[in-house]
Amino acid sequence: MSELKSTPMMSQYFSIKEQYKDSILFFRMGDFYEMFFEDAEIASKVLDITLTSRNKNEDIPVPMCGIPYKAAEAYIARLISRDYKVAICDQVEDPKNAKGIVRREVVRVITPGMILEDTLLDARINNFVASISKNGEVFGLSCLDISTGTFRISETTVFEDVLDEILRIKPSEVVVSEKNKDDGDILCIKKSLGSVYFSFINDNSFSIRNSRDTLLNHFSTRSLEGFGCEDLQSGICAAGALLSYVKETQMKSLSHVTGLVPYRSSDFLIIDDSSFRNLDVFVNQRTGQKTGALIDIIDMTMTPMGGRLLRNWLRYPLVDLSQIDARLDAVDEAVRLRAEREISRNILKSVADLERLGSRITMNRCSAREFVALKRSLNALPELWMVLSTFESPLFDFQENLSDLSILADLIDQAIAEDPPASINEGGMIKEGYNSELDELISISRDGKSFLAKLEAEEKEKTGISSLKVKYNRVFGYFIEVSKAASENVPASYVRKQTLVNAERYITDELKVFETKVLNAYEERVALELAIFEDIRLEIVKHNPSILKVASFISNIDCLTAIAQVAEDNDYVRPIMNNDGIIRIEDGRHPVVEKTIDAGKYVPNSIYLDNNENQILIITGPNMAGKSTVLRQAALTVLMAQSGFFVPAARADISVTDRVFVRVGASDNLASGQSTFMVEMEETANIINNATPSSLVVMDEIGRGTSTFDGISIAWAIVEYLHDLSASGVKTLFATHYHELTELDAIKPRVKNFNIAVKEWNDEIIFLHRLVEGGASRSYGIQVARLAGIPHEIIARSKKILTNLESGSHDLRSVSQGTQARMQKQSRPRQLELFRKPENVVVEILKGIDILSLTPLEALNKLSELKEKIRDIR
């Protein structure tokens, strides 16, 4: 078989591809990016483009496909979404100046965590790449968003904390050392993250020496003391390796990464990923969409960076009482100063995403349009600062001097056109009057148009050829075009340049001189504009630290004023924070559910929890009555309060909570072979093992995934454990269908019974959605089944079976022989009497009658009602 013939270009390709074996190589050839061999086969399938070959007539054809250079962004996005790395190999010299083959180099490697383009990012969500190091029992964790410059570091000795935090960060990519590729903990994290892209890099990058040197060199410091992380050795390993990885893939300055922020999980309210998802904070779990989630109701920020910060506040609620109150003070002031708030929010509409704007400019991934957006944003600051000066809260006070940024905005205004082109390689970016040399080149181009028009008119008159045209194209330059029919009349001075089917093209000495002058002027103009553009870009980069400070401040202002706007629009109140262990929510509402029903029809509910008498509330009531809504709204109220939000209630006293656990609903995890009950028990185990006396536990229907007796036993034992935890217990809302659990209030002093009230009428039930004291007397399952549309005959049969069960006399004649045989074999004693006998129903009704207040007629009606009740259940 013949060997593959290697041209100089293919030799260059092989040399570069050898260095990027794990990436799809986009190889720039003129106006296209070409892919070859396996890269072409993969890309053609993923991108749905034609697979062809470079040398069709040779024995070994080379598979090839290509995409237009200017349309690369969309294709890259599709490859990244399928977890492929893309190495961008560009021509790094002008083909006109190349001696031999054009020099090409990889200028950037794009991975899911290495994206800067706005079109590929969600404006309101950080795009983190995370790094995990493991040194003995100590885990280091770091995350970096190159699109904003956010860089954080943490470490812990507890694996569960690492797992919780990585799920909280939700990175697009995770970087790990090659030596830990098969480590059990890393594999567990990888499994928990699902489809997140993992990059395994050289172990040396994670060494403490190399990592520390990488960080010190980047920040130009002698130590990391200034960042407060000098002693976080495992964290430094993770952060240094991450920074090294980003620099190697981006091959650009990361000067927009100006700091490294250390933090501990315990600095914030911890809410594990499962609990957070159960509350539908960012995504509605039922639909997988933002609509129907809390964020859809309360994110009224005006800028993308404000939106990202708002999400961060919700994912990292505060636990320091003074910090919470400071944030609430600022929101309170923004609520009161309505006019100033509205003016501020209106100004914020004109502020661009300064964080991502600054990052793209710093990393030279920008056009002149970013400069214009920056100028408009900076020009909005003086008016915004003037409005904010009326606020007294320190959170509205910006201490930095803005004079340098005003000068920068003026520079951009003087130099950059108001509506510049999207490309920086076509000219038209720089205003006339900014540079005299450029003005001269522009004048030549402009005068050229009038020269051509004049030349065309003169040649028509001279030759008498009315169809004569002076034209230009990129292949042949300038030429005179004459139709075939008129070609006999052209002067001898015309030199034929090209013959077409219906026309002839000519050049003249005069046109040659003009062409040289104009084309050189155009090329010189583009080159000069690029040089001016780069000078301005470097000037902006110098001011980027100040721009980032402004961006951070504006993000805070955006969040505070947005929270105030939400509070006013939705009638939220300021929560009163305490460290006394008291959670009192008067007329609380679920912020999302209240938006889904008609105005005025939502039924608010009050909850009181403390550490002395009302620590555990057992909540009973039928399905559809609203137990889960009450549970979720309580947890959301705590989450919102500690995030600095006003809350949906008439009044709220909220004790600062260290952890919130929410165990509501469950589903099978078929991928890992876990049943509903197993998922439920694992989430419950997490609560039992991590709850503290300062936590809030919300649990719904524990134990329903197994047999009735097992479920009751487990639920009972869990309530007892939470009551006795650390000899002081933990505040808990516990919803259940097991009415037997209501007996716990007689055994455990801090347990109280509540139920979601319903009203019975002619064997129908009306949901009142009101939480009232006391346990529910019935589950009303059959009535709920009727409401759900179960056929009448099944409802009737269910009532008959229920009556027999409640009376203890199973109707063996009405069941199948196989069932009867099994029941007869069951000789074991009943564990618990789960259902009330009919006479008990009557007794309970009688107990609730105030005989002394009844009139004779009311007494007769009550007696008639009891007769009907007995007839129904018999």
Side-chain angles (χ1 to χ4, degrees), residues 198-212:
F198 270 66
S199 294
F200 298 96
I201 64 174
N202 192 288
D203 300 342
N204 290 333
S205 296
F206 281 87
S207 74
I208 184 63
R209 180 175 180 179
N210 289 341
S211 295
R212 185 183 296 277

Side-chain angles (χ1 to χ4, degrees), residues 684-869:
T684 301
N686 175 51
I687 296 172
I688 295 300
N689 294 325
N690 293 294
T692 76
S694 297
S695 301
L696 172 65
V697 174
V698 174
M699 304 185 83
D700 189 15
E701 305 295 357
I702 293 301
R704 64 180 174 180
T706 186
S707 71
T708 300
F709 299 133
D710 284 349
I712 291 173
S713 303
I714 292 169
W716 187 293
I718 288 170
V719 173
E720 286 188 332
Y721 182 89
L722 293 172
H723 181 277
D724 300 336
L725 180 69
S726 300
S728 58
V730 56
K731 286 182 284 294
T732 302
L733 297 174
F734 198 101
T736 183
H737 277 316
Y738 298 137
H739 298 142
E740 290 74 14
L741 268 61
T742 60
E743 298 176 18
L744 279 162
D745 74 334
I747 302 170
K748 296 295 181 180
R750 296 186 302 279
V751 172
K752 292 292 182 290
N753 289 325
F754 283 81
N755 74 90
I756 305 293
V758 298
K759 182 177 179 62
E760 293 183 75
W761 180 258
N762 292 332
D763 202 31
E764 301 285 341
I765 58 171
I766 301 170
F767 297 116
L768 301 180
H769 304 293
R770 174 71 70 182
L771 185 67
V772 296
E773 196 163 356
S777 58
R778 298 178 60 189
S779 290
Y780 300 100
I782 294 175
Q783 286 85 346
V784 172
R786 179 191 288 116
L787 291 175
I790 298 296
H792 174 73
E793 57 269 27
I794 295 178
I795 297 298
R797 179 64 182 140
S798 299
K799 289 170 64 177
K800 182 67 174 175
I801 294 171
L802 176 61
T803 300
N804 290 337
L805 288 169
E806 289 182 332
S807 65
S809 59
H810 302 294
D811 185 8
L812 298 180
R813 292 169 298 176
S814 63
V815 296
S816 69
Q817 291 182 351
T819 304
Q820 180 177 349
R822 285 194 299 273
M823 292 174 66
Q824 288 173 341
K825 286 181 181 180
Q826 293 174 349
S827 57
R828 60 186 180 187
R830 297 173 71 195
Q831 298 180 53
L832 282 172
E833 186 177 355
L834 298 180
F835 304 98
R836 299 166 300 153
K837 296 179 180 179
E839 53 267 31
N840 292 345
V841 176
V842 176
V843 169
E844 288 180 17
I845 294 174
L846 287 171
K847 285 180 179 179
I849 298 174
D850 184 358
I851 297 175
L852 296 177
S853 66
L854 290 179
T855 65
L857 181 58
E858 287 173 338
L860 287 172
N861 288 336
K862 184 63 68 175
L863 183 59
S864 176
E865 183 183 322
L866 287 172
K867 283 185 66 178
E868 289 296 323
K869 186 71 67 177

Side-chain angles (χ1 to χ4, degrees), residues 119-285:
T119 54
L120 307 185
L121 293 170
D122 188 318
R124 293 179 174 268
I125 299 178
N126 279 105
N127 187 51
F128 283 116
V129 54
S131 173
I132 304 171
S133 67
K134 186 179 180 184
N135 299 301
E137 299 299 315
V138 184
F139 293 90
L141 178 63
S142 182
C143 62
L144 171 62
D145 182 349
I146 66 165
S147 73
T148 66
T150 304
F151 194 16
R152 291 189 256 170
I153 179 175
S154 184
E155 80 174 27
T156 181
T157 57
V158 181
F159 169 71
E160 287 74 14
D161 289 350
V162 176
L163 182 57
D164 279 347
E165 187 56 25
I166 203 78
L167 289 171
R168 180 150 61 170
I169 293 169
K170 291 205 179 306
S172 298
E173 182 178 359
V174 178
V175 177
V176 179
S177 170
E178 278 282 358
K179 72 177 181 181
N180 290 327
K181 190 172 186 177
D182 298 317
D183 180 85
D185 291 334
I186 299 301
L187 292 175
C188 181
I189 291 172
K190 189 174 183 181
K191 183 178 179 182
S192 298
L193 286 172
S195 61
V196 171
Y197 190 90
F198 270 66
S199 294
F200 298 96
I201 64 174
N202 192 288
D203 300 342
N204 290 333
S205 296
F206 281 87
S207 74
I208 184 63
R209 180 175 180 179
N210 289 341
S211 295
R212 185 183 296 277
D213 286 347
T214 297
L215 294 170
L216 295 178
N217 289 337
H218 176 78
F219 293 117
S220 300
T221 57
R222 297 179 59 184
S223 77
L224 298 174
E225 288 284 358
F227 299 112
C229 57
E230 181 66 41
D231 298 329
L232 302 179
Q233 296 222 352
S234 288
I236 289 171
C237 290
L242 179 54
L243 189 61
S244 175
Y245 172 74
V246 174
K247 286 189 172 184
E248 287 176 7
T249 57
Q250 298 310 290
M251 305 169 195
K252 294 285 184 181
S253 164
L254 298 178
S255 59
H256 66 297
V257 181
T258 58
L260 180 59
V261 181
Y263 72 101
R264 297 173 299 174
S265 295
S266 58
D267 294 337
F268 305 96
L269 183 152
I270 298 172
I271 177 165
D272 61 82
D273 190 59
S274 174
S275 296
F276 198 77
R277 284 186 283 107
N278 284 334
L279 289 176
D280 292 345
V281 180
F282 292 156
V283 175
N284 183 312
Q285 292 302 297

